[in-house]
């Protein structure tokens, strides 16, 4: 009969009280009458020798059984190993990279105290073996805790999205809600921050003389597991728990290779933040705290304004800039590049846009020219009105277009013009599910 998880936890508690596996096994051998007294065999008769050998054999069999049970109890209550290339130590000793007073830092950040893997597993409503299963790394895996799909990019091509399976997603949502979201975020960050969004991001840049949009290259892949672990260490968690939290929130970029009848997911690089995990955007916000501080300070010093929405950085020089403001775009971009690279990121030169007076100024998809509030582009609004009108006239959508995608644009419009957006959403709802 299999030992239940609770029984294994109780067994490990008994082993710990006994002073370890060897001490526990020896005590059980004595208590069960299996401990054979060692004797010289030179003067034994054949019958005595046979009996003595039988005692030793019974002791060895019982010892083997007890050690197997003890090892199963250990694995039920300890992580043991997280895969090749991942350092993990189940010992509770102090790590030299731990904060001097981690509990004080946790309290300062308003985070739950989690001292060991068992406590983390309990907080996530998981067993320790399940926690190990979710965090174990393999360079060549036959299964993942993610499903992959792609969405089209605005610039062409496809963007790979890795969506976590239900068990991992539930654990990530707990980590997001209880640990990541309470961490400090700079006021310049507007993406995935409660109470902020594309509208607040755009509002910061109204009435701009010059508007600059720059993009961070390979944003999520740049945030590797070591950087994520550093976030949790700085938050106040010790080595073991920080490692497990980082492994829960990361996965290696992978390529699918078929060998025989089996598909293998081959790691192409170090684990990093997957685009699709609920924890990824918020982790980048707290990790970019110093980047945002430095860029905000640079902008303020030169009379500019700065905001960040995920990997999109926006700088603007107000029409009514303070006296002494530096409008030299080249100097500003050079300083921005230096700061970005010093913080472990890189700019994507293909996505740098400079909007001067007279041109259309756009921030996170919204037009910010003049003193008017941010608004959806006129061309997008006209396209949606024409599309819903054609649907109502029984005409098909353009090839590759869907009602769901058009309704998504209507929801986008709703954020700045609730009346127009709600009307479009109502009309598109009559055709929900229809494809091109």
């Amino acid at each position: 009969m299999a030992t239940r998880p609770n029984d294994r936890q109780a067994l490990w508690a008994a082993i710990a009280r006994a002073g370890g596996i060897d001490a526990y096994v020896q005590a059980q051998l004595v208590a069960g009458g299996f401990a054979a007294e060692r004797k010289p065999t030179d003067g034994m008769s054949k019958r005595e020798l046979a009996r003595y050998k039988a005692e030793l054999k019974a002791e060895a069999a019982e010892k083997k059984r007890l050690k197997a049970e003890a090892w199963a109890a250990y694995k039920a209550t300890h992580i043991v190993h997280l895969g090749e290339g991942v350092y993990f130590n189940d010992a509770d000793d102090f790590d030299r990279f731990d904060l001097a007073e981690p509990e004080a830092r946790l309290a300062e950040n308003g985070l739950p105290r989690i001292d060991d893997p068992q406590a983390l597993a309990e907080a996530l409503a998981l067993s320790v073996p399940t926690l190990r299963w979710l965090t174990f790394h393999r360079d060549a895996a036959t299964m993942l805790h993610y499903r992959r799909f792609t969405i089209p990019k605005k610039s062409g091509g496809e963007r790979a999205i890795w969506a976590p399976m239900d068990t991992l997603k539930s654990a990530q949502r707990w980590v997001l809600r209880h640990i990541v979201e309470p961490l400090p975020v700079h006021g310049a960050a507007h993406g995935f921050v409660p109470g902020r969004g594309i509208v607040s991001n755009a509002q910061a840049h109204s009435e701009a003389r010059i508007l600059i949009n720059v993009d961070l290259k390979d944003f999520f892949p740049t945030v590797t597991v070591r950087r994520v672990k550093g976030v949790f260490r700085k938050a106040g968690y010790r080595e073991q728990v920080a490692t497990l939290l980082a492994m829960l929130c990361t996965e290696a970029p992978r390529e699918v290779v078929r060998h025989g009848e089996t598909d293998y997911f081959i790691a192409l690089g170090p684990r990093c933040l997957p685009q699709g995990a609920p924890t990824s955007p918020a982790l980048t916000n707290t990790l970019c705290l110093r980047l945002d501080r430095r860029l905000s300070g640079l902008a303020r010093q030169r009379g500019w304004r700065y905001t960040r929405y995920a990997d999109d950085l926006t700088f603007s020089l107000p029409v009514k800039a303070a006296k002494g403001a530096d409008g030299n775009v080249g100097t500003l971009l050079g300083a921005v590049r230096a700061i970005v690279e010093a913080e472990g990121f890189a700019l994507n030169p293909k996505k740098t846009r400079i909007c001067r007076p007279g041109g259309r100024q756009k921030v996170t998809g919204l037009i910010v020219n003049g003193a008017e509030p941010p608004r959806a582009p006129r061309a997008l609004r006209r396209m949606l009105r024409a599309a819903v009108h054609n649907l109502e006239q029984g005409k098909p959508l353009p090839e590759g277009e869907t009602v769901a995608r058009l309704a998504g644009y209507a929801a986008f419009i709703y954020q700045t013009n609730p009346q127009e957006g709600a009307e479009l959403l109502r009309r598109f709802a009559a055709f929900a599910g229809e494809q091109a």
Side-chain angles (χ1 to χ4, degrees), residues 283-353:
L283 276 168
T284 61
N285 279 340
T286 189
L287 190 137
C288 287
L289 178 60
R290 192 170 67 177
L291 171 71
D292 290 334
R293 282 174 177 165
R294 295 182 68 181
L295 291 178
S296 183
L298 171 70
R300 186 169 55 253
Q301 181 184 34
R302 295 172 178 271
W304 290 66
R305 299 170 295 194
Y306 162 75
T307 63
R308 180 179 59 81
Y309 190 97
D311 57 350
D312 292 326
L313 316 181
T314 304
F315 298 84
S316 63
L317 181 67
V319 170
K320 299 178 181 179
K323 186 177 180 181
D326 186 353
N328 189 314
V329 172
T331 303
L332 175 68
L333 286 177
V336 169
R337 181 178 293 104
I339 291 174
V340 165
E341 291 177 355
E343 293 298 323
F345 295 98
L347 295 181
N348 186 344
K350 295 180 180 179
K351 292 190 176 181
T352 298
R353 298 177 300 278

Side-chain angles (χ1 to χ4, degrees), residues 11-12 15 21 24 65-75:
L11 176 56
W12 182 253
I15 292 170
I21 291 178
Y24 171 81
R65 186 189 69 80
L66 289 168
K67 283 204 167 186
E69 284 188 351
W71 177 240
Y74 184 87
K75 289 195 295 183

Side-chain angles (χ1 to χ4, degrees), residues 174-243:
W174 189 94
V175 173
L176 173 65
R177 185 167 55 254
H178 294 92
I179 297 179
V180 181
E181 285 185 343
L183 292 175
V185 174
H186 196 273
H190 288 261
F192 314 100
V193 178
R196 305 179 205 170
I198 60 170
V199 177
S200 64
N201 187 56
Q203 283 173 337
H205 300 283
S206 60
E207 294 189 271
R209 186 193 309 171
I210 307 174
L211 183 78
I212 303 175
N213 293 310
V214 297
D215 183 83
L216 297 179
K217 186 178 180 181
D218 299 328
F219 188 46
F220 285 130
T222 301
V223 184
T224 61
V225 64
R226 293 182 63 182
R227 300 180 75 174
V228 176
K229 182 177 175 180
V231 168
F232 293 120
R233 294 298 292 269
K234 191 174 180 181
Y237 290 107
R238 298 188 187 274
E239 166 69 25
Q240 294 176 335
V241 174
T243 298

